[in-house]
Amino acid sequence: RTRFSDDYLWLPFVTAEYIRATGDNEILNIKVPFLDHDSLKCHEDEKYCQPRVTEEVASLFDHCIRSIEYGLKFGEHDLPLIGGGDWNDGMNRVGIQGTGESVWLGWFFYTLLGEFIPFCYHENDREFAYELEKKREQLQKDLEENAWDGEWYLRAFYDDNTKLGSKENDECKIDSISQSWSVISKAAPKERALSAIQSAWRYLVKEE
């Protein structure tokens, strides 16, 4: 177990990618058990364990919905909480107190919702689909309002609201993944996405 914010979100993301590639919507109806183990104690950030397989089962669609619902946690800047880290394991202390936020996770969540919302309609869960559409639209606005640093996108906010991946930082002034996913997600305005990528190239690439 960990307190990482993105671990559980890869299930709906990969499921959506699988269906997009194969056209096999029936996989959403397959019944799958859960894994279970003791929850982390307040002083534990992670724990290696041998999980139990439960007798309880649910459809893969339900597993994906639970994963997304669990991930709908946002901080002061209306960006997803980073928890014990996200893509980068080395950022495991950025939001360990529970209030730090991840810009990259915002791009990823935006992408995930765009991929998965159509399956909510397919499974006749229209109410949840509407909710996710509103959340996705608002998330795009919040990323532009709170994560833009002038020439590129921030990487995260620490628990104390200090910026990470900002021109104000002496270290980790710019992080590639926030710039890359502003493009991959197609959420960033074209002009800003171009500026972000050009900035990443200028600061992070040694052509020689």
Side-chain angles (χ1 to χ4, degrees):
R1 284 189 182 276
T2 74
R3 299 190 188 278
F4 270 55
S5 56
D6 67 314
D7 286 355
Y8 40 85
L9 293 176
W10 290 99
L11 175 64
F13 181 79
V14 171
T15 299
E17 287 293 298
Y18 170 84
I19 296 174
R20 183 180 62 80
T22 65
D24 178 19
N25 286 284
E26 290 304 311
I27 194 174
L28 292 171
N29 299 317
I30 292 176
K31 300 296 183 181
V32 187
F34 294 86
L35 297 180
D36 186 32
H37 202 274
D38 298 338
S39 298
L40 292 174
K41 296 179 174 60
C42 60
H43 65 278
E44 294 178 317
D45 296 334
E46 59 188 13
K47 177 167 58 179
Y48 290 93
C49 54
Q50 181 65 45
R52 300 178 289 270
V53 178
T54 66
E55 294 184 6
E56 179 187 1
V57 297
S59 68
L60 178 58
F61 177 72
D62 189 42
H63 278 266
C64 290
I65 292 299
R66 294 189 193 198
S67 297
I68 292 172
E69 287 179 328
Y70 187 75
L72 291 173
K73 300 174 183 175
F74 297 83
E76 183 175 333
H77 303 91
D78 297 312
L79 301 176
L81 296 179
I82 191 172
D86 54 14
W87 180 294
N88 187 338
D89 291 5
M91 295 186 176
N92 62 319
R93 306 299 298 177
V94 172
I96 199 63
Q97 295 175 17
T99 57
E101 298 161 272
S102 169
V103 174
W104 167 74
L105 190 59
W107 299 127
F108 180 64
F109 220 138
Y110 179 90
T111 306
L112 162 61
L113 294 180
E115 294 279 344
F116 201 81
I117 287 171
F119 304 125
C120 295
Y121 283 111
H122 181 270
E123 297 298 309
N124 294 315
D125 195 346
R126 294 182 176 274
E127 184 176 347
F128 193 57
Y130 293 150
E131 178 186 340
L132 294 184
E133 284 178 342
K134 291 179 182 178
K135 185 72 248 181
R136 186 171 188 259
E137 182 180 348
Q138 186 60 47
L139 179 56
Q140 184 179 27
K141 295 176 182 178
D142 293 330
L143 282 161
E144 291 309 315
E145 182 176 343
N146 298 319
W148 182 247
D149 199 48
E151 295 181 79
W152 60 83
Y153 289 98
L154 302 171
R155 176 61 174 84
F157 288 92
Y158 283 95
D159 287 308
D160 65 359
N161 279 335
T162 301
K163 297 175 182 177
L164 180 62
S166 168
K167 60 181 178 292
E168 301 172 11
N169 299 138
D170 293 327
E171 298 178 340
C172 194
K173 185 183 295 290
I174 181 172
D175 193 306
S176 174
I177 196 172
S178 288
Q179 321 322 318
S180 302
W181 273 78
S182 74
V183 176
I184 293 170
S185 67
K186 299 181 176 63
K190 184 175 181 180
E191 298 77 12
R192 284 189 173 183
L194 180 60
S195 175
I197 289 297
Q198 288 174 336
S199 296
W201 187 274
R202 182 167 69 254
Y203 284 99
L204 301 176
V205 175
K206 294 183 178 181
E207 295 189 43
E208 68 273 15

